[in-house]
Amino acid sequence: MFTGLSAFPLTPMTEKSIDEPAFLEIVSRLHRAGVDSIGALGSTGSYAYLAGDQRKRVTELAVQAAEGTPVLVGIGALRTADVLRHAEDAQNAGASAVLLAPVSYQPLTEDEVYGLYADVTAELSVPLCVYDNPGTTRFTFSDELHGRITALPNVGSVKIPATPADPQEARTRVQKLRQQIPKNVTIGVSGDAAGAGGLLAGCEAWYSVLGGLWPELCLEITRTAQRGDTAEAHRLSERLTPIWELFGRYGSLRVVAAIAEHMGLIGSPNLPRPLLEFSGTDRAQVDEAVRRVLADTDEVAS
Amino acid sequence: MFTGLSAFPLTPMTEKSIDEPAFLEIVSRLHRAGVDSIGALGSTGSYAYLAGDQRKRVTELAVQAAEGTPVLVGIGALRTADVLRHAEDAQNAGASAVLLAPVSYQPLTEDEVYGLYADVTAELSVPLCVYDNPGTTRFTFSDELHGRITALPNVGSVKIPATPADPQEARTRVQKLRQQIPKNVTIGVSGDAAGAGGLLAGCEAWYSVLGGLWPELCLEITRTAQRGDTAEAHRLSERLTPIWELFGRYGSLRVVAAIAEHMGLIGSPNLPRPLLEFSGTDRAQVDEAVRRVLADTDEVAS
């Protein structure tokens, strides 16, 4: 469940609602490409911006289009009571696992975050992935806290931020966390530029934003890293450097939305306001980066 | 409307709902003390954790208990569509003004924040206070952005984070912002330890967390600063140093909730989960700080 390539699709928005046909096609492409799992309603899936009934609908659509590929579903919310409700809805809609970040308004303490995971895991009938994403939650996990949380029942994986670019530092990072958590809990890397490096450093999964849009390229990187071909995995990842640079500059959500629009997969507007799609020179930079990557691959046309 | 002491009351929570009698009494105390305005559903009022119908109910209760004292109401949410709905509800429930922070999950750009305020102010029939609170929103306003936003219609005030402790630096800070914004838009300081200093540095308002619980003490500081008695205003504020230290260490919400519980104004639990009330040594430190302040004042018994 929590190994290999977990692809995180966009949830394309219209002014009032969700573009359901576009979402079904995006998820269906992931299933057809053969990704190991699908992370619906991750940060890229804008879970934080959707009401409970919308999340339930998105989960149903994702499970339908995934045709048996396991679907992880983001259940994060500011209040524990809402998280529990989203978890119940996700399970009823067929999610194979749930993904929980400690979403915050008031900055949270370690004990509060532990309490959140304790309250939620006690109610689950599917496994949970701990979503460590300080860029959006502004909460920084200590490895000791990861240890306490992964000792709770039903925890199956930890999704960590980007591992260091240096291979030895990446291995040290993963080994240090590995010492704190049970053997049956996998570690998955996110921050797509670190996907290849994280897998080579010992992560069992890559929780990937670009994998939600370009699954074949990301699967090629994943399989190459999984068989230990270090040089080739890095070469494949480095082909995507123009995209990783944009992710670093603008955050990944706006960039993948622009690429999806460029590919004709989604219309515009497609982000929840106040988030804005690119325009002007920003838009031109994305188009240029996609053109540069296109010179090396034909996935965009797939 | 946006001058003097604006007192921000707690919204005490029960397991499932809001403790309405306790909230009515907390607001009524502010009206009886004679505060200049009441900031319901600020960060201290846990607006971010409440659903639309709960916010509407809290606004109705606040307006009722305020008995004519103007009530500002927090309308922030992750999605612009929800902010607009909260604004409509607040106005219908009798709010005299609204308070809007750029709540974020995906970090926001300056253009996105400007767009949010443009969309919302275009729909308002009451004035708006810009809520600049990087500790919870993680968005940092530039003065230039404050200038663009305060040029929009219906903007009446900017609530800024704590001014510097040094009096000259505080004056420089307020003057710099003042140069960017229209004369009819007031500047209000928050970060309660900076209340006296901010008012003395030229802020027209103090948006105060402790004012929502100890209005008489905070009014005394406000009136003293307003008449320019620098030494006495600082002396009064410094009496509360044990409280300001706790605010700095734990954030103000958990501390005022513990003080309100200590005073018998609210029960326990009183915070929205996953937030936790103090226990053990943390609780003992709050009780000790309140005792130290009590040696100088009898407001806690009021």
Side-chain angles (χ1 to χ4, degrees):
Chain A
M1 172 78 234
F2 296 118
T3 58
L5 179 66
S6 187
F8 278 62
L10 289 164
T11 308
M13 307 280 184
T14 61
E15 275 295 331
K16 296 280 178 198
S17 183
I18 293 152
D19 183 345
E20 296 193 358
F23 181 69
L24 284 168
E25 174 55 19
I26 288 171
V27 174
S28 184
R29 292 174 77 247
L30 306 181
H31 165 67
R32 295 196 304 264
V35 301
D36 298 301
S37 64
I38 294 169
L41 294 173
S43 293
T44 305
S46 293
Y47 74 93
Y49 299 88
L50 294 171
D53 56 342
Q54 294 176 309
R55 296 196 195 194
K56 192 170 178 180
R57 178 68 181 153
V58 169
T59 306
E60 289 165 354
L61 295 169
V63 170
Q64 174 193 328
E67 295 184 53
T69 302
V71 176
L72 286 74
V73 172
I75 59 171
L78 285 174
R79 287 194 78 161
T80 303
D82 291 328
V83 176
L84 290 169
R85 193 164 45 82
H86 298 323
E88 181 74 15
D89 286 346
Q91 292 176 143
N92 290 337
S96 298
V98 294
L99 182 71
L100 176 58
V103 180
S104 72
Y105 179 77
Q106 297 283 347
L108 297 172
T109 66
E110 289 218 337
D111 282 345
E112 288 168 342
V113 170
Y114 177 79
L116 169 67
Y117 285 95
D119 288 347
V120 173
T121 53
E123 302 293 330
L124 288 178
S125 54
V126 297
L128 175 141
C129 175
V130 177
Y131 191 177
D132 176 356
N133 190 13
T136 56
T137 65
R138 290 81 175 196
F139 179 80
T140 300
F141 285 83
S142 66
D143 285 354
E144 189 268 337
L145 179 61
H146 274 311
R148 289 173 66 198
I149 291 171
T150 52
L152 289 166
N154 297 316
V155 177
S157 186
V158 180
K159 177 183 186 296
I160 62 170
T163 45
D166 176 78
Q168 184 52 50
E169 285 176 34
R171 269 191 299 275
T172 303
R173 167 74 201 104
V174 175
Q175 283 164 3
K176 190 159 164 292
L177 178 58
R178 173 52 62 204
Q179 286 164 5
Q180 297 284 333
I181 69 178
K183 283 201 175 58
N184 65 317
V185 173
T186 71
I187 300 173
V189 67
S190 52
D192 275 6
L199 289 167
L200 291 166
C203 291
E204 291 98 338
W206 176 16
Y207 295 108
S208 173
V209 172
L210 195 64
L213 201 56
W214 290 352
E216 291 173 18
L217 268 181
C218 294
L219 267 173
E220 194 183 358
I221 294 171
T222 303
R223 299 301 179 233
T224 305
Q226 282 177 322
R227 69 171 179 263
D229 188 343
T230 304
E232 178 65 3
H234 280 301
R235 192 191 67 79
L236 291 169
S237 179
E238 280 160 18
R239 272 197 322 192
L240 297 166
T241 298
I243 306 295
W244 307 149
E245 285 174 355
L246 291 171
F247 280 16
R249 195 177 318 150
Y250 298 107
S252 54
L253 173 61
R254 295 174 188 82
V255 177
V256 286
I259 300 174
E261 203 186 319
H262 182 105
M263 292 167 69
L265 283 170
I266 65 176
S268 178
N270 48 57
L271 297 174
R273 293 285 171 275
L275 303 186
L276 295 173
E277 296 79 24
F278 289 128
S279 60
T281 52
D282 295 338
R283 164 77 59 178
Q285 286 184 331
V286 172
D287 290 344
E288 172 59 21
V290 172
R291 267 191 298 272
R292 282 169 63 194
V293 170
L294 268 173
D296 280 331
T297 171
D298 59 357
E299 172 143 20
V300 175
S302 75
Chain B
M1 173 78 233
F2 296 119
T3 58
L5 179 66
S6 188
F8 279 61
L10 289 163
T11 308
M13 307 279 184
T14 61
E15 275 294 332
K16 295 279 178 200
S17 182
I18 293 152
D19 183 346
E20 297 194 358
F23 180 69
L24 284 168
E25 174 55 19
I26 288 171
V27 174
S28 184
R29 291 174 76 246
L30 307 181
H31 165 68
R32 295 197 304 266
V35 301
D36 298 301
S37 64
I38 293 167
L41 294 174
S43 292
T44 305
S46 293
Y47 75 93
Y49 300 87
L50 294 171
D53 56 343
Q54 293 176 309
R55 296 196 195 195
K56 192 170 179 180
R57 177 69 182 152
V58 168
T59 305
E60 289 165 353
L61 295 169
V63 170
Q64 173 193 330
E67 294 184 54
T69 302
V71 176
L72 288 73
V73 173
I75 58 171
L78 284 174
R79 288 194 77 162
T80 303
D82 291 329
V83 176
L84 290 168
R85 193 164 45 83
H86 297 324
E88 181 75 13
D89 286 346
Q91 292 176 143
N92 289 339
S96 296
V98 293
L99 182 71
L100 177 58
V103 180
S104 71
Y105 179 77
Q106 295 284 347
L108 297 172
T109 66
E110 289 219 337
D111 283 344
E112 288 169 341
V113 170
Y114 177 79
L116 169 68
Y117 284 95
D119 289 346
V120 173
T121 54
E123 303 292 329
L124 289 178
S125 54
V126 298
L128 175 141
C129 176
V130 176
Y131 192 177
D132 176 357
N133 190 13
T136 55
T137 65
R138 290 79 173 198
F139 179 80
T140 301
F141 285 84
S142 66
D143 286 354
E144 189 269 337
L145 179 61
H146 274 312
R148 289 173 66 198
I149 291 172
T150 53
L152 290 165
N154 297 316
V155 178
S157 186
V158 180
K159 176 182 186 298
I160 61 171
T163 45
D166 177 78
Q168 184 53 50
E169 285 178 32
R171 269 191 300 274
T172 303
R173 166 74 201 104
V174 175
Q175 283 164 6
K176 190 160 165 291
L177 177 58
R178 173 51 64 206
Q179 286 165 5
Q180 296 284 334
I181 69 177
K183 283 201 175 59
N184 64 316
V185 173
T186 71
I187 300 173
V189 67
S190 53
D192 275 8
L199 289 166
L200 291 165
C203 291
E204 291 98 337
W206 176 16
Y207 295 109
S208 174
V209 172
L210 195 65
L213 201 57
W214 290 353
E216 291 172 16
L217 268 180
C218 294
L219 266 172
E220 194 183 359
I221 294 172
T222 303
R223 299 301 178 230
T224 305
Q226 283 177 321
R227 68 172 179 264
D229 189 342
T230 302
E232 178 65 3
H234 279 301
R235 192 191 68 78
L236 291 169
S237 179
E238 281 160 16
R239 272 197 323 189
L240 297 166
T241 299
I243 307 294
W244 307 151
E245 286 174 354
L246 291 172
F247 280 16
R249 196 177 319 153
Y250 299 107
S252 53
L253 173 60
R254 294 175 189 81
V255 177
V256 287
I259 300 174
E261 201 186 320
H262 183 106
M263 292 167 69
L265 282 170
I266 66 176
S268 178
N270 49 57
L271 296 174
R273 293 285 172 276
L275 302 185
L276 295 173
E277 296 78 24
F278 290 129
S279 61
T281 53
D282 296 337
R283 165 77 58 179
Q285 287 185 331
V286 172
D287 290 344
E288 172 59 20
V290 172
R291 268 192 297 273
R292 283 169 62 195
V293 171
L294 268 172
D296 280 332
T297 171
D298 59 358
E299 172 141 17
V300 176
S302 76

